[in-house]
């Protein structure tokens, strides 16, 4: 097992999406760990305060090569990371060992035409939010009486697919812009592999987010992380699944919340069939009695997200993914 350091530079990040045509930023073996840097705010860097603008970030924003601008998404992603021996049909296990803001400031942006209420909040608005990294809180802008606990996570964790260019905005079977605030340090995410090497990328750091992410952004934050990546040839998945210290999480992504809920529910029933040995009907009943379905996000057009949480404490035996 080898430990790597993957810094975010204009040669190791890409903008706007995923592509199997990108040269890997790093090549690893199964079980390797990586200290990874990510930046966010490419599209607002010219409005940012000095503490948001490191020399490396400015170099990325001003000198990123055209071939590293994949699609129209606004996200800077670090990677891709090539995993040796990974082939289509395998599963990538990503363990999130540590996640922390790399700068003491983040931002929230309302974008015209986006969000859950685009016709009510039509004007763009940008707020920079100081982060108290000692007390692990953020002070809500213009109201010092509101303190938001920091619960950092990466909004985007995904692999490349056979398409030459795939936008970073919607989530899908490959992961991508999941925006699931449950995926904090101590969690594991399992992603199907679609191309040789998997070509995993990471970014879109959030210091805090409510379920739904209703105005289109969270506290968007340049983020550091330590991850471990394993190749799982013993699993077969067609859609992402996750595990936290307390829950198993299935996900559904679709054009409507109804359809996303249906997919998250079906994926949970499939999980209970294969890993808990329940019949489909018993799994359906258990979902109604004990699984909590929540809105992940409603803003990553064209796919909204719903996730289901199965409390591991209700099971008398340990589930091992």
């Amino acid at each position: 097992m080898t430990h790597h350091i993957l810094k975010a530079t204009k040669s190791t990040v890409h903008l706007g999406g995923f592509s199997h045509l990108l040269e890997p930023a790093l090549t690893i073996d199964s079980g390797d760990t990586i200290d990874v840097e990510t930046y966010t705010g490419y599209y607002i860097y010219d409005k940012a305060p000095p503490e948001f603008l490191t020399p490396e970030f400015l170099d990325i924003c001003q000198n990123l090569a055209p071939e590293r601008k994949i699609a129209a998404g606004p996200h800077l992603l670090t990677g891709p990371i090539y995993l040796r021996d990974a082939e289509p049909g395998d599963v990538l296990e990503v363990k999130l060992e540590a996640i922390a803001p790399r700068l003491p400031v983040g931002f929230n942006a309302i974008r015209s035409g986006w969000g859950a209420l685009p016709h009510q909040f039509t004007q763009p608005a940008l707020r920079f939010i100081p982060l108290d990294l000692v007390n692990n809180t953020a002070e809500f802008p213009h109201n010092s009486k509101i303190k938001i606990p920091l619960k950092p996570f990466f909004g985007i964790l995904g692999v490349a697919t056979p398409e030459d260019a795939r936008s970073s905005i919607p989530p899908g079977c490959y992961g991508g812009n999941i925006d699931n605030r449950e995926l904090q340090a101590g969690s594991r995410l399992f992603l199907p592999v679609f191309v040789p090497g998997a070509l995993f990328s990471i970014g879109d750091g959030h210091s805090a987010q409510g379920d739904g992410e209703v105005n289109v952004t969270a506290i968007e934050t340049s983020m550091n992380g330590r991850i471990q990546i394993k190749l799982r040839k013993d699993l077969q998945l067609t859609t992402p699944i996750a595990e936290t210290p307390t829950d198993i999480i299935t996900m559904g992504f679709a054009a409507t919340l109804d359809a996303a809920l249906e997919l998250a529910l079906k994926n949970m029933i499939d999980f209970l069939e294969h890993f808990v040995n329940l019949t489909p009907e018993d799994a359906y009943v258990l979902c109604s009695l004990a699984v909590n379905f929540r809105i992940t996000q409603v803003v990553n057009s064209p796919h909204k997200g719903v996730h289901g949480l199965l409390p591991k404490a209700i099971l008398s035996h340990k589930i091992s993914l």
Side-chain angles (χ1 to χ4, degrees), residues 89-110:
D90 294 340
V91 169
L92 199 72
E93 176 187 329
V94 182
K95 183 179 180 182
L96 302 163
E97 295 188 345
I99 308 171
R102 58 178 288 112
L103 300 172
V105 62
F107 72 91
N108 177 270
I110 298 173

Side-chain angles (χ1 to χ4, degrees), residues 19 22 47 84-85 142 166 248 260 273 280 285 288:
S19 174
L22 273 174
K47 304 176 184 67
R84 290 188 182 94
D85 300 323
H142 315 304
R166 182 183 284 274
I248 300 294
E273 279 189 79
V285 172
S288 194

Side-chain angles (χ1 to χ4, degrees), residues 141-280:
H142 315 304
N143 193 324
S144 61
K145 295 180 180 179
I146 300 176
K147 305 288 187 183
I148 302 169
L150 300 188
K151 295 184 177 180
F153 68 98
F154 291 103
I156 296 182
L157 306 112
V159 296
T161 61
E163 290 80 7
D164 289 352
R166 182 183 284 274
S167 172
S168 64
I169 295 174
C173 58
Y174 52 92
N177 198 13
I178 298 172
D179 281 340
N180 190 323
R181 69 184 184 95
E182 304 292 339
L183 300 182
Q184 297 171 26
S187 303
R188 293 188 296 163
L189 178 66
F190 301 83
L191 298 169
V193 173
F194 297 93
V195 300
L199 295 178
F200 172 80
S201 296
I202 184 171
D204 190 30
H206 295 172
S207 281
Q209 178 197 296
D211 285 332
E213 199 188 19
V214 294
N215 89 332
V216 85
T217 53
I219 302 181
E220 308 291 319
T221 312
S222 296
M223 200 74 73
N224 287 346
R226 174 169 290 184
I227 61 176
Q228 182 184 48
I229 296 180
K230 293 182 180 179
L231 178 60
R232 298 293 300 270
K233 290 185 176 287
D234 58 320
L235 292 177
Q236 275 127 28
L237 297 176
T238 58
T239 191
I241 195 168
E243 181 179 5
T244 73
T246 56
D247 296 277
I248 300 294
I249 302 176
T250 60
M251 307 175 200
F253 310 117
T256 68
L257 284 175
D258 285 349
L261 170 61
E262 185 175 316
L263 286 173
L265 173 57
K266 288 180 176 179
N267 290 335
M268 183 61 76
I269 290 171
D270 287 344
F271 174 84
L272 290 167
E273 279 189 79
H274 290 101
F275 289 90
V276 188
N277 297 317
L278 296 186
T279 67

